[in-house]
Amino acid sequence: MFSNTFIQDLINYRNNSKLITSISLVSCGLCFASAVTIPNGFTKISVTLLGLLNSIVGITVSKLDSNLNTRLEDLQLTSRATSKELFAGYLKDSSFEVTVQTQPIKEQDIITDIVEYWKSQEKHLAIIGGTGDGKSYTIKLFVASLQNEFDITAYDVDYAKDDYLSSVEIRYTYEEIQVSLNRDIEELENRIVERRELGKRYSPDKRLTIGEEMPALADECESLGLWMRKMSKRGRKVGLFIAAIAQNDTAENFALKGDAGILKANFCLLYLGEKAKERARQLKNKELLEWLEGASKGRGLINDKPVLIQAGNFQSTSLPLPNEEVNDTIKSPGSIEEVVEVALETPQFSEENALKYARILKDEGYSKTKIIKQIWGVGGGARFIELSKLIDS
């Protein structure tokens, strides 16, 4: 490659040659003009010859300038090509690579209680895993741990007997799921109104809705996208949570096409099995990958942190609400215990006794949603909000 100084000198020479050519042409013109005006004699011949000489010089310098200009353009192209090759070599040089050192996985860094960790985040849950990676096992673990604290519903068209504990309400046809999605949106709006009215006194019943194989639901249920967006953004504040399951972590697989930010901001992302290893490779975290490969099952990533999926007891510990008759025991200071037999499904069940019984059940840990549905047969709307306030009062 030629030096910049050499190329600059050639450019200056070309510019000077243009100046010389211009002066020669002007001089030639003056000579011919003088020759025309001089009457006769040797002076006229001399001026004519001088003009011809200037013309020859000008033509020669002009040709030289043209050739020089062509050569200079070739030199500039050569210089650019050489520079590009040189810089390309620099970019390919391994000495420019930066290796980020990762810290080894420490025991205190590993999350051992995945359910408690999820509850502490106050976010929805997205479970990502391939066939055989343990998605069903993990959701059973969540159900077993949360069944006394959450009302749990599952939208699962592939549902089979014993897939869920008896405490879980199942919707397994697309028609049922579509209707339930619309009801969920209505309940969300009702809860938002109730929260606005009660303020800090608002204490909603928590509900977890499981969406199995979200891409399949998205294909058949037109409301799923709207449901996901509304519930994801506003559901947590009113006790409505989602546990969505898919085989890939793209927003489209969770019916959130074009809204990947919703998935990242509002969900704890739980990767299982091979999907967890793929995620570790994306993070370029060798130590995390080695830890995941240290066991065939029971390890994953949640929010890119190592987590152990512990073995769980999936026995149902919830007690069904009584639906025939109960003894409502009412005590007051200095009075004799009065026992009133109440039949929940009979017309003789008064509103006053219904409220008393509902409050007893609430104190025993039952959710208001189940209580109101069982006693009054109301699942939402203004009546639901009214009854909820009466139970709390």
Side-chain angles (χ1 to χ4, degrees), residues 19-286:
L19 179 60
I20 294 170
T21 302
S22 299
I23 294 173
S24 298
L25 291 176
V26 172
S27 177
C28 180
L30 292 173
C31 289
F32 279 109
S34 299
V36 172
T37 58
I38 295 174
N40 52 29
F42 180 74
T43 304
K44 185 173 182 177
I45 296 173
S46 300
V47 172
T48 302
L49 292 175
L50 181 60
L52 291 173
L53 180 61
N54 285 332
S55 299
I56 294 171
V57 171
I59 293 171
T60 303
V61 174
S62 178
K63 289 182 179 179
L64 178 62
D65 177 71
S66 178
N67 293 333
L68 183 60
N69 191 55
T70 301
R71 296 290 294 175
L72 184 59
E73 290 177 356
D74 293 340
L75 288 175
Q76 288 175 327
L77 291 174
T78 303
S79 177
R80 290 174 186 171
T82 307
S83 297
K84 288 173 67 176
E85 292 178 3
L86 180 62
F87 285 116
Y90 287 153
L91 293 175
K92 293 178 182 178
D93 191 346
S94 60
S95 62
F96 282 87
E97 294 181 359
V98 178
T99 302
V100 178
Q101 297 294 330
T102 56
Q103 298 296 325
I105 303 300
K106 299 178 182 178
E107 186 175 352
Q108 59 266 30
D109 297 331
I110 300 172
I111 298 169
T112 56
D113 191 333
I114 186 174
V115 178
E116 285 301 318
Y117 174 81
W118 171 74
K119 288 166 61 177
S120 70
Q121 300 301 299
E122 296 185 347
K123 291 186 175 183
H124 305 288
L125 178 66
I127 301 177
I128 300 106
T131 303
D133 281 342
K135 300 191 299 296
S136 298
Y137 177 88
T138 302
I139 203 63
K140 284 183 178 180
L141 178 64
F142 271 85
V143 170
S145 300
L146 300 172
Q147 60 179 330
N148 290 328
E149 186 179 352
F150 285 73
D151 296 324
I152 303 176
T153 304
Y155 297 157
D156 185 358
V157 294
D158 295 323
Y159 161 74
K161 187 177 180 181
D162 299 327
D163 279 354
Y164 298 94
L165 301 181
S166 59
S167 58
V168 180
E169 295 185 16
I170 312 297
R171 304 285 184 270
Y172 54 85
T173 68
Y174 290 121
E175 291 77 11
E176 283 184 321
I177 294 171
Q178 178 62 51
V179 171
S180 294
L181 292 175
N182 293 330
R183 287 178 179 171
D184 290 345
I185 295 173
E186 181 182 354
E187 182 179 351
L188 171 65
E189 298 299 332
N190 290 335
R191 288 194 177 207
I192 290 172
V193 172
E194 184 179 3
R195 177 175 178 266
R196 187 178 297 121
E197 293 176 352
L198 295 179
K200 293 181 179 180
R201 294 185 293 112
Y202 181 66
S203 179
D205 297 326
K206 294 182 179 179
R207 198 183 86 189
L208 178 68
T209 303
I210 301 168
E212 264 282 4
E213 295 300 333
M214 293 292 289
L217 293 179
D219 289 340
E220 299 293 335
C221 300
E222 61 182 13
S223 297
L224 187 65
L226 178 63
W227 181 84
M228 278 291 289
R229 286 171 172 83
K230 283 183 173 289
M231 297 286 280
S232 297
K233 294 178 180 179
R234 309 178 73 185
R236 294 174 295 163
K237 292 183 178 180
V238 291
L240 300 176
F241 291 85
I242 300 169
I245 303 172
Q247 294 195 4
N248 292 291
D249 61 358
T250 62
E252 185 174 2
N253 274 287
F254 288 90
L256 291 170
K257 185 176 181 181
D259 285 324
I262 294 178
L263 189 64
K264 294 178 180 178
N266 299 300
F267 285 79
C268 288
L269 301 180
L270 173 59
Y271 295 86
L272 301 174
E274 291 301 318
K275 295 299 179 180
K277 297 173 186 177
E278 287 182 14
R279 179 60 181 169
R281 293 187 188 99
Q282 289 176 358
L283 297 172
K284 298 181 180 180
N285 192 321
K286 182 180 178 182

